[in-house]
Amino acid sequence: MNRTAAMDYDELEDALRSGASTDGPRAAVAGVLGDIVSGARDLRAVRHPLGFLCLPVVREGGRGVCVHLFDGDADAGPADPLDPAASGVHAHSWELLSYVVYGRVANVPVRVDDSIPADSGEATHRVFEVHSARDGTDELRPTERLVHSEPGPEHVSGGGETYTLAAGQFHSTVVRGGEPAATLVLGRTLPGRSDLFLGPLHGHGHRTVRRLCGAEDTRQTVRAALRRVHGGQR
């Protein structure tokens, strides 16, 4: 791949879905990270409310390519129990295809039961809808949907492995081993879907802001990630 094509959505999707052993996606990530460090690509990281840094590389209508950087701190996520995002359990409005560049990323699927009677006392969470503004503000609004949720078996993916998550599938994502991790994420938005969180039963609306990191802070973080890629970390 040349640098222009390094983050071509279709090429990356074909490479990841084929299951063939290839270093193409890893080389694509290294190319983008190198461009950011050198200043050839003017891109700043966004601090996601779930605690990781997002590098939004490609946006083509309803499709996008990002690099996610996790610092390995298990306590980095939101801690306020009144915050609807505190549980970390969420569902995307888009289909996710993710390649682990290095580190170990665990996804815990969460089974959600909507069939419980509202007055049964069996509900564990309220579903919140995420409404995002162009300025990076996310407003989490409580819905009337009460559910009973149970975590399923954890699935851990290591460096060089690929995993998928369907739109609407509730899950939480954490890094394992206390070590940093990086993923290359392809997303395809589905019409009529909303991003969702499982929040407290009596929780209220909440607003968070996706903070844009400074240029130098971004370069420092990306430089550290690039060293891991060049060092062969998996």
Side-chain angles (χ1 to χ4, degrees), residues 1-16 22-35 41 57-58 60 64-67 99 184-186:
M1 293 183 178
N2 59 38
R3 182 164 293 174
T4 302
M7 282 295 174
D8 179 272
Y9 187 101
D10 293 319
E11 288 186 12
L12 289 171
E13 183 178 35
D14 289 345
L16 295 179
T22 176
D23 285 332
R26 186 179 177 88
V29 171
V32 167
L33 298 183
D35 284 350
R41 186 185 292 262
V57 182
V58 175
E60 300 172 344
V65 180
C66 299
V67 175
Y99 170 84
L184 171 65
V185 179
L186 278 65

Side-chain angles (χ1 to χ4, degrees), residues 154-216:
E154 179 177 285
H155 302 286
V156 180
S157 302
E161 296 182 323
T162 300
Y163 64 87
T164 61
L165 288 169
Q169 178 181 345
F170 282 101
H171 67 283
S172 61
T173 300
V174 295
V175 296
R176 290 302 184 210
E179 295 294 333
T183 57
L184 171 65
V185 179
L186 278 65
R188 187 190 303 268
T189 301
L190 299 185
R193 299 272 189 156
S194 296
D195 292 324
L196 306 172
F197 270 95
L198 292 188
L201 288 173
H202 304 293
H204 301 289
H206 188 79
R207 182 172 294 176
T208 62
V209 178
R210 302 188 182 211
R211 181 172 58 84
L212 190 66
C213 298
E216 184 55 33

Side-chain angles (χ1 to χ4, degrees), residues 62-205:
R63 307 191 309 176
V65 180
C66 299
V67 175
H68 290 173
L69 302 176
F70 302 83
D71 64 11
D73 182 357
D75 296 323
D80 182 356
L82 297 180
D83 180 352
S87 70
V89 178
H90 59 288
H92 302 297
S93 60
W94 37 277
E95 298 174 330
L96 178 147
L97 176 62
S98 184
Y99 170 84
V100 182
V101 183
Y102 59 78
R104 299 173 70 236
V105 178
N107 285 291
V108 181
V110 176
R111 294 184 292 268
V112 171
D113 183 3
D114 291 83
S115 64
I116 57 173
D119 58 354
S120 68
E122 297 178 17
T124 58
H125 292 87
R126 182 180 298 276
V127 176
F128 286 71
E129 277 190 359
V130 182
H131 297 262
S132 299
R134 290 184 179 274
D135 64 358
T137 300
D138 291 333
E139 186 177 350
L140 280 67
R141 301 176 185 173
T143 70
E144 296 298 318
R145 185 180 171 192
L146 301 181
V147 301
H148 179 85
S149 69
E150 293 183 0
E154 179 177 285
H155 302 286
V156 180
S157 302
E161 296 182 323
T162 300
Y163 64 87
T164 61
L165 288 169
Q169 178 181 345
F170 282 101
H171 67 283
S172 61
T173 300
V174 295
V175 296
R176 290 302 184 210
E179 295 294 333
T183 57
L184 171 65
V185 179
L186 278 65
R188 187 190 303 268
T189 301
L190 299 185
R193 299 272 189 156
S194 296
D195 292 324
L196 306 172
F197 270 95
L198 292 188
L201 288 173
H202 304 293
H204 301 289

